[in-house]
C-alpha cells in the first residue's frame, strides 16, 4: 500500500510539473495548490447525470455549500485555480467554487438573432403586469416583454439603474448593455430582446429571483 501511495503521488507531481500551472516543492516533492490566470470569463455547466453540479466553498479544502448549479446554465468566472492534486477549479464569486471537469468554457445559448442597431428605447412599468420595453430600430418597432412583474420588475430595474443607468448601449470593458452582462453571455447579439432574455436566465439560474439578486447587489456591490 505504501509503494502504491508513493507511486500515485509521484505520477501526480510529474504531470503537474509538465503543465507548469501548479508549483511543486522540491524538498518534499508534494504539489502545491495555486491560483492562476483565468482562461475564460464564462463557464457553462455540462449535461450531468443528476442535472446539477455541487458548489464548494474552497478549492484547497472543498466543502459543499449546499448550492447546486443546473445543467446548461452559464456563470461568470472570477478566478481559476488548481488544487494540490492538480484538479482545476473555477471561482464564480465570493468563494463559490466548481470543478472544471463539470463545466465547459463559454456561454450556452441558442443561435444568435441578428437585429438592426438600437437607436432609441423607452420603457414603462406597471406593478400588476410584466415590464414592457419598446425598441425602435432601423427597420421596425419591436416590443420586448420581460418575464417578471411586480416587485421582481422593480428589483430588475433597480439593478439596471445601478449597472448602466438603464441604457442598452452602455459598455464597460467586457461588460455591455443594460444589465452589464459579459459579452460572452450575449454571444454577439446585443439586441434589447436578447439582453432581457439572457439577464432573466442569468438571475434565475444564479439567485432564483431578481429580488434576491438585488439583495446580493446591495451587500456586495455587484451581482
Amino acid at each position: 500500500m505504501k509503494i502504491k501511495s508513493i507511486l500515485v503521488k509521484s505520477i501526480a507531481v510529474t504531470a503537474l510539473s509538465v503543465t507548469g500551472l501548479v508549483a511543486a516543492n522540491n524538498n518534499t516533492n508534494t504539489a502545491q495548490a495555486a491560483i492562476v490566470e483565468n482562461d475564460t470569463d464564462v463557464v457553462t455547466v455540462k449535461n450531468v447525470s443528476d442535472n446539477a453540479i455541487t458548489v464548494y466553498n474552497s478549492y484547497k479544502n472543498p466543502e459543499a455549500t449546499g448550492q447546486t448549479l443546473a445543467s446548461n446554465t452559464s456563470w461568470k468566472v472570477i478566478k481559476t485555480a488548481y488544487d494540490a492534486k492538480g484538479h482545476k477549479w473555477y471561482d464564480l464569486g465570493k468563494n463559490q467554487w466548481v470543478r472544471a471537469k463539470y463545466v465547459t468554457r463559454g456561454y450556452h445559448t441558442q443561435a444568435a438573432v441578428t437585429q438592426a442597431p438600437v437607436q432609441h428605447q423607452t420603457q414603462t412599468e406597471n406593478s400588476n403586469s410584466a415590464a414592457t420595453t419598446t425598441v425602435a430600430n432601423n427597420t421596425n418597432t419591436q416590443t420586448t416583454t420581460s418575464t417578471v412583474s411586480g416587485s421582481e420588475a422593480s428589483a430588475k430595474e433597480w439593478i439596471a439603474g445601478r449597472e448602466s443607468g438603464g441604457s442598452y448601449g452602455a459598455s464597460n470593458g467586457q461588460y455591455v448593455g443594460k444589465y452589464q452582462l459579459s459579452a460572452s453571455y450575449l454571444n454577439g447579439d446585443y439586441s434589447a430582446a436578447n439582453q432581457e432574455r439572457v439577464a432573466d436566465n442569468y438571475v434565475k439560474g444564479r439567485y432564483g429571483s431578481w429580488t434576491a439578486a438585488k439583495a446580493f447587489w446591495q451587500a456586495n456591490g455587484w451581482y
Side-chain angles (χ1 to χ4, degrees):
M1 294 297 292
K2 183 177 181 180
I3 294 175
K4 180 179 179 181
S5 175
I6 293 174
L7 178 60
V8 171
K9 182 180 291 186
S10 298
I11 292 173
V13 172
T14 300
L16 296 174
S17 298
V18 171
T19 65
L21 295 175
V22 180
N25 185 312
N26 292 328
N27 295 326
T28 62
N29 210 30
T30 301
Q32 303 296 314
I35 292 178
V36 300
E37 184 177 352
N38 279 353
D39 56 1
T40 184
D41 61 348
V42 178
V43 293
T44 297
V45 180
K46 295 179 180 179
N47 283 310
V48 290
S49 58
D50 294 330
N51 203 36
I53 64 172
T54 301
V55 177
Y56 296 89
N57 64 353
S58 171
Y59 73 95
K60 291 182 178 179
N61 300 296
E63 294 183 4
T65 63
Q67 181 184 9
T68 59
L69 306 181
S71 295
N72 296 321
T73 55
S74 299
W75 307 89
K76 293 181 182 178
V77 173
I78 307 301
K79 299 175 185 175
T80 301
Y82 286 80
D83 62 26
K85 295 181 179 180
H87 300 143
K88 186 176 182 180
W89 294 78
Y90 289 115
D91 180 9
L92 307 181
K94 298 300 178 181
N95 290 319
Q96 299 175 93
W97 294 87
V98 294
R99 284 281 301 276
K101 73 175 185 177
Y102 298 119
V103 299
T104 57
R105 290 183 294 178
Y107 177 67
H108 175 79
T109 185
Q110 302 295 328
V113 178
T114 302
Q115 187 176 21
V118 173
Q119 292 183 322
H120 174 71
Q121 61 265 353
T122 59
Q123 182 155 336
T124 61
E125 180 182 326
N126 186 304
S127 60
N128 297 317
S129 61
T132 300
T133 302
T134 301
V135 179
N137 57 40
N138 290 342
T139 57
N140 60 9
T141 298
Q142 178 179 343
T143 298
T144 301
T145 303
S146 174
T147 59
V148 299
S149 60
S151 60
E152 284 294 281
S154 177
K156 183 177 182 179
E157 286 306 297
W158 185 93
I159 288 178
R162 299 308 187 279
E163 292 289 325
S164 69
S167 172
Y168 288 108
S171 64
N172 180 17
Q174 66 173 327
Y175 301 108
V176 298
K178 185 174 181 179
Y179 305 100
Q180 288 296 278
L181 302 165
S182 168
S184 298
Y185 273 48
L186 295 169
N187 200 36
D189 179 4
Y190 301 150
S191 67
N194 195 48
Q195 289 186 38
E196 294 289 337
R197 181 184 65 81
V198 173
D200 283 340
N201 288 341
Y202 168 73
V203 166
K204 181 179 179 181
R206 182 163 189 139
Y207 301 103
S209 68
W210 280 99
T211 52
K214 178 182 176 181
F216 184 92
W217 200 107
Q218 289 173 319
N220 299 279
W222 62 279
Y223 78 111

